[in-house]
Amino acid sequence: MSIDLSDPGHGHSAAAWTAVTIMLAAFAIGTTAFFFELVWLVWASFGLLIAGVIVGYVLSKVGYGVGALPAPQGH
């Protein structure tokens, strides 16, 4: 198999995985809170969802995103 260098990675990065994990947890908490009619927790989970987006963006800009430089290869 060869590696297609034009492939953008489709989110295979630490930034993407971290952001999706945080947002998935926020969605699960928000859905459960909505079921139990805990309005404050629904809004708190929405805040967590927004935090997940921000964390993903910041990690991407710091160098953990798809466009990050590859690790040096040893001989």
Side-chain angles (χ1 to χ4, degrees):
M1 280 190 179
S2 64
I3 297 174
D4 184 14
L5 297 178
S6 66
D7 182 24
H10 299 292
H12 299 293
S13 67
W17 279 100
T18 303
V20 168
T21 301
I22 291 171
M23 290 186 287
L24 184 61
F27 185 77
I29 292 168
T31 303
T32 305
F34 186 80
F35 178 76
F36 288 113
E37 299 178 1
L38 299 171
V39 177
W40 68 270
L41 191 54
V42 172
W43 285 108
S45 66
F46 179 72
L48 184 61
L49 182 79
I50 299 302
V53 172
I54 293 169
V55 165
Y57 178 76
V58 169
L59 285 177
S60 177
K61 292 299 179 186
V62 173
Y64 291 102
V66 174
L69 297 174
Q73 299 291 328
H75 293 322

